[in-house]
Amino acid sequence: MVRMSQRTPAKPRGHGLAATTLALASLGGCLAAPPVAPEAPAASGAGSAAAPGASGASGASSESAQQQAFARWLEAFGAFARAQGIREETLRVAFADVRYVPRVVDRDRAQPELTRTVWDYLDRTVTPQRVSAGQEKLLQVRGEADGAAARFGVPPHVVLAVWAMESNYGGNVGDVPTVDALATLGFEGRREAWARGELLAALKIVQAGDIEPARMTGSWAGAMGQTQFLPSSYLAYAVDADGDGRRDIWGSAADVLASMANFLARAGWQADQPWGVEVRLPPAFDHARADLQVRQPSARWSAEGVQSTDGAALPEFGDGAILLPAGARGPAFLVGPNFRAFLRYNNSSHYALAVGLLAQRLGGGPGVTAAWPRDLAALTRTQLMALQTALNERGFDSGTPDGMVGTATRSAIRRYQRSVGLPADGYPTLELLQRLQAP
């Protein structure tokens, strides 16, 4: 999969660590203990200094044990990789300076307490500055963008929108070594099977000669380059559009744009169709039907009274769905297969809507016309867990409370809303939480 990830700067690699870097033995696969990436130094000052003692010795012992355990994990993985066709030279080059990065684990385990409303997300991602920068960038890469459009059927302004969302038009690709990030996540174990698969894919990329390990960088989660492809997605979708024999999603604009267009095309992109359109819903509309799984032809939506906000005919979708990203009080959209292609890139309706609206703006179209319900605050993760717990206690099964709004939670909210005569939009609000918690 492809995912949009926050970036964590990599720690500098100094020559003083050379004695502790990993090396794979050519026959036995023995590994030396890897270095642990140094954390940022504590703030200077007399109050921050600690006298050496037992705690320092204990910390050093724990760090050494972790290094040795990481080395053993890599040794075992090296044996697995060889069995999968990875050559000894590839392992030697890719693991020559690999290290465990504690901050990657911290980021993977972190679950932010604060959540974000869709309008706040759009305010941060679909800005006038980003639109202007994208229009200027398109002038610079017009030939490459037109080439990708001709080959894959995805318009330049759509590819530019994805590029903007993934790496700010190549300006923020992340600088965490991909091999380090994936080896760390595999060793940590919470998602070991997934990380092992992605690490093996990364080694295949190195073995193919597409990129040197030192240049294979990206996010803390292993998403790489300007496209933010995971290694498995790179193997499936990356394109050598400039003909130099390498699929360079780090430095070649032609390869970057063609690779993103290829992904969207194979995700079901329909040429000559929009991603969606803003609409007005009829007064008696059943908001429970605003669900991406409830699909029908545009003609049927039109017959039910759904109209575009500009009065034009609805796009001719064979399986359009109504999207209410902010509930019944916010804007409504009719979305089709191309919106679902965006979801394949990143399975978030906020993300897909941002890509669609940014592409629309880059292509000279309008923004959202209906007002967002900006008086509604986003629930915190703790509040969402409380809402899920309250729903469960009232007999509206939302699954195990986890502070994340998925299909089960939205369905439970809708059933509760119906039971009390509220619009069944499935949207969590503070008022709804308070009502559930009232005696």
Side-chain angles (χ1 to χ4, degrees), residues 86-106:
I86 301 301
R87 297 190 294 269
E88 200 68 44
E89 176 64 13
T90 302
L91 289 169
R92 185 189 66 77
V93 171
F95 286 169
D97 197 24
V98 68
R99 64 179 62 194
Y100 176 78
V101 188
R103 190 172 296 181
V104 167
V105 175
D106 293 341

Side-chain angles (χ1 to χ4, degrees), residues 313-348:
L314 296 177
E316 295 185 5
F317 296 144
D319 55 355
I322 300 296
L323 175 71
L324 290 177
R329 289 181 51 198
F333 303 87
L334 175 66
V335 299
N338 292 343
F339 184 86
R340 296 193 290 275
F342 296 152
L343 289 174
R344 286 282 304 279
Y345 211 111
N346 185 315
N347 192 27
S348 159

Side-chain angles (χ1 to χ4, degrees), residues 105-260:
V105 175
D106 293 341
R107 294 292 293 275
D108 187 53
R109 293 176 178 174
Q111 293 198 0
E113 170 65 10
L114 298 179
T115 59
R116 185 176 293 173
T117 62
V118 61
W119 53 90
D120 183 44
Y121 180 79
L122 294 174
D123 287 347
R124 294 166 181 261
T125 55
V126 188
T127 64
Q129 295 79 9
R130 179 165 275 180
V131 172
S132 177
Q135 291 169 338
E136 182 177 343
K137 179 64 74 172
L138 184 54
L139 294 176
Q140 299 171 12
V141 298
R142 188 82 226 190
E144 294 89 339
D146 286 346
R151 182 173 177 182
F152 298 108
V154 184
H157 60 276
V158 172
V159 178
L160 265 287
V162 176
W163 195 15
M165 293 294 294
E166 293 301 320
S167 63
N168 198 24
Y169 307 113
N172 183 16
V173 300
D175 58 3
V176 177
T178 300
V179 171
D180 289 14
L182 294 171
T184 296
L185 291 170
F187 169 69
E188 186 267 342
R190 190 173 73 88
R191 295 187 292 161
E192 182 178 9
W194 170 85
R196 283 170 64 92
E198 293 298 336
L199 182 54
L200 181 64
L203 294 178
K204 291 179 180 178
I205 295 168
V206 173
Q207 186 158 285
D210 282 303
I211 189 74
E212 303 84 11
R215 288 187 59 225
M216 182 187 270
T217 58
S219 77
W220 63 267
M224 309 183 302
Q226 298 185 39
T227 62
Q228 288 293 278
F229 281 173
L230 289 169
S232 59
S233 293
Y234 176 99
L235 291 176
Y237 306 110
V239 174
D240 173 24
D242 60 16
D244 68 352
R246 298 157 69 103
R247 295 173 291 175
D248 184 3
I249 61 171
W250 293 266
S252 167
D255 292 3
V256 167
L257 298 177
S259 296
M260 291 188 293

Side-chain angles (χ1 to χ4, degrees), residues 368-434:
V368 179
T369 58
W372 296 104
R374 293 181 179 272
D375 58 304
L376 297 180
L379 298 187
T380 66
R381 197 169 297 275
T382 297
Q383 288 172 326
L384 286 171
M385 290 182 68
L387 184 142
Q388 292 167 325
T389 300
L391 285 167
N392 290 343
E393 291 174 348
R394 286 179 176 260
F396 301 94
D397 184 16
S398 66
T400 302
D402 59 3
M404 301 180 70
V405 180
T407 302
T409 298
R410 291 197 186 280
S411 176
I413 292 174
R414 285 185 172 123
R415 294 196 304 274
Y416 171 73
Q417 288 171 323
R418 280 189 185 280
S419 74
V420 294
L422 295 173
D425 59 9
Y427 189 76
T429 65
L430 181 59
E431 180 181 1
L432 189 70
L433 172 60
Q434 293 170 340

